[in-house]
Amino acid sequence: KDPRYIWQLAPSSVKIAVASCSSEAFATITMDGRLRVWSLVTGELAFSSSHLFLPYCCSFSRVGGCLLASNSSNQVALIDPRSHLHRVYTGHTSSVRCVTLTDDGLWIFSGSSSGDVAVWHVSEQASCVFFAAHVSTIRHCCVSPDNHMLVTSADDGSIKLWACILASGAKPSVTLKRTLKHHEVCVSSVVLLHDTLIAGALDGRVSVWDVERGVVVHELVMDGPVLTVQFIPKTSSVCVVCVGGVTHIFDPSKWVSLRRIHIPGIRFTSASITYSGQYLCFSATRSVARAFGDGPDCCVLDIRRNIPIVNEDGFIQATGWLRLRLWFMVYFKSSGVFSQLPFPLVRAISRYL
């Protein structure tokens, strides 16, 4: 399936870009609050929603292809692009900064800027529970595959593990199990793998925890502030995305870096990788214009082949000329061949290929 696609959704810049777990779809939310879902197979626009106001976060469910999104109006929205189902959950008293859906698709967890967590049943909103989890903004939350444990992380660097009892028709029960503290700054992303917890922070470090003992067993120093940490089931590897355009793929058994991908001249605002580990989807600040010439707002990068493709004013196939330019910048820069050259010179060379 060549070529791949990249989007530029003018006039409003893209705040969030996220890929589906199945590698079949890709969602963008622009600053005007418009949600769009694109097909990664055909490149066509599959779904477009009404305004969501200022968006804060968005994620795909692991199964079913549903989208969870939150906005500045203290709301959580569940959207099914196939059936056009759109449910809105209200009750938070401050902006919702993170949302996640359990693997069975029945429960929603959301964290707010006031430190509160809400647990919602997808179809029984009356069963929701609110509780104070942190004293600062909650940045990320995740749930174990068996729904028995919730992990939350906050701006103050704290990580909390919660024991959950979830049953349809009954109020959910959430009890604090353990508090972890290693970072002094915001923990931006957490991933729970059986008895191992992986946390990435804005201090540029990734801590690996033994959940049962509550101790750090390994620490990684990254290239800069960590934006997101994800597990890739197909390859049993861990992806760490840094704000400064650097992505690492790690083997979690030895914590050896399998690959380092550097896209120079950009700052990620959001990023996610598909469960197959093939596509890295990201949105970036306007500084991306200095790296890609015309400046796409969001991108899907085939990291197996290092092929990104840009469009302008919609969704088009890139020419071989443009693909060659971008391939040059991503592959050669990330491989270190031109690591000693200043970026403006690399950019100038690429423009004349």
Side-chain angles (χ1 to χ4, degrees):
K1 298 172 183 178
D2 187 22
R4 291 286 89 190
Y5 305 93
I6 288 181
W7 296 258
Q8 181 175 5
L9 305 176
S12 182
S13 60
V14 175
K15 180 177 176 65
I16 300 170
V18 59
S20 68
C21 302
S22 62
S23 305
E24 295 178 354
F26 169 66
T28 60
I29 301 182
T30 49
M31 287 300 296
D32 61 3
R34 193 64 176 263
L35 168 67
R36 298 175 176 88
V37 179
W38 311 83
S39 169
L40 273 174
V41 179
T42 65
E44 297 176 351
L45 180 65
F47 175 81
S48 181
S49 78
S50 57
H51 287 248
L52 295 170
F53 304 103
L54 179 63
Y56 278 122
C57 64
C58 179
S59 64
F60 273 96
S61 61
R62 296 185 185 180
V63 293
C66 292
L67 273 164
L68 275 173
S70 69
N71 59 31
S72 58
S73 298
N74 311 339
Q75 298 174 337
V76 175
L78 176 65
I79 302 165
D80 188 339
R82 298 163 302 178
S83 64
H84 289 244
L85 171 69
H86 189 158
R87 287 179 177 160
V88 176
Y89 303 85
T90 59
H92 278 290
T93 58
S94 58
S95 57
V96 182
R97 295 306 183 102
C98 61
V99 288
T100 189
L101 187 69
T102 56
D103 284 358
D104 57 15
L106 295 179
W107 298 91
I108 298 171
F109 291 84
S110 58
S112 71
S113 58
S114 61
D116 295 331
V117 169
V119 187
W120 321 80
H121 190 281
V122 168
S123 57
E124 302 171 8
Q125 189 165 350
S127 299
C128 68
V129 168
F130 291 85
F131 62 94
H134 294 266
V135 295
S136 59
T137 299
I138 298 176
R139 288 297 174 182
H140 199 232
C141 59
C142 68
V143 186
S144 62
D146 59 7
N147 297 348
H148 290 165
M149 184 177 293
L150 167 71
V151 182
T152 58
S153 66
D155 272 1
D156 61 3
S158 63
I159 303 170
K160 294 188 177 183
L161 311 179
W162 307 83
C164 303
I165 301 176
L166 308 175
S168 297
K171 290 278 187 179
S173 173
V174 182
T175 307
L176 180 62
K177 184 178 179 180
R178 189 187 294 272
T179 299
L180 308 175
K181 182 74 173 181
H182 180 69
H183 303 275
E184 298 299 328
V185 298
C186 169
V187 177
S188 54
S189 185
V190 286
V191 172
L192 186 61
L193 302 177
H194 305 295
D195 57 350
T196 300
L197 175 68
I198 308 166
L202 296 186
D203 58 5
R205 296 182 296 162
V206 174
S207 55
V208 182
W209 296 80
D210 184 312
V211 173
E212 291 300 322
R213 293 187 294 152
V215 296
V216 176
V217 296
H218 200 82
E219 185 177 75
L220 305 170
V221 178
M222 308 308 297
D223 301 77
V226 176
L227 178 66
T228 184
V229 179
Q230 277 188 265
F231 178 66
I232 307 173
K234 187 173 182 178
T235 58
S236 297
S237 55
V238 174
C239 174
V240 179
V241 179
C242 299
V243 173
V246 178
T247 301
H248 284 272
I249 308 295
F250 287 98
D251 177 359
S253 63
K254 301 178 181 178
W255 290 110
V256 176
S257 179
L258 303 175
R259 190 170 182 194
R260 180 180 184 271
I261 304 163
H262 182 205
I263 305 175
I266 72 169
R267 288 182 63 84
F268 290 140
T269 57
S270 68
S272 67
I273 193 167
T274 57
Y275 272 28
S276 65
Q278 181 170 1
Y279 301 117
L280 174 67
C281 303
F282 65 85
S283 61
T285 58
R286 288 296 182 178
S287 62
V288 74
R290 295 195 295 272
F292 291 102
D294 297 321
D297 290 312
C298 56
C299 165
V300 177
L301 174 64
D302 186 337
I303 62 176
R304 292 180 182 174
R305 296 179 292 168
N306 287 325
I307 301 178
I309 299 175
V310 172
N311 80 343
E312 298 177 4
D313 301 324
F315 207 19
I316 62 173
Q317 295 182 357
T319 63
W321 179 278
L322 182 56
R323 184 161 65 252
L324 179 62
R325 285 174 54 192
L326 294 176
W327 179 85
F328 173 86
M329 300 199 70
V330 175
Y331 178 75
F332 283 98
K333 184 69 176 179
S334 63
S335 64
V337 175
F338 293 99
S339 59
Q340 303 302 316
L341 295 179
F343 176 70
L345 178 58
V346 175
R347 182 182 59 191
I349 295 173
S350 70
R351 286 179 175 176
Y352 288 97
L353 284 177

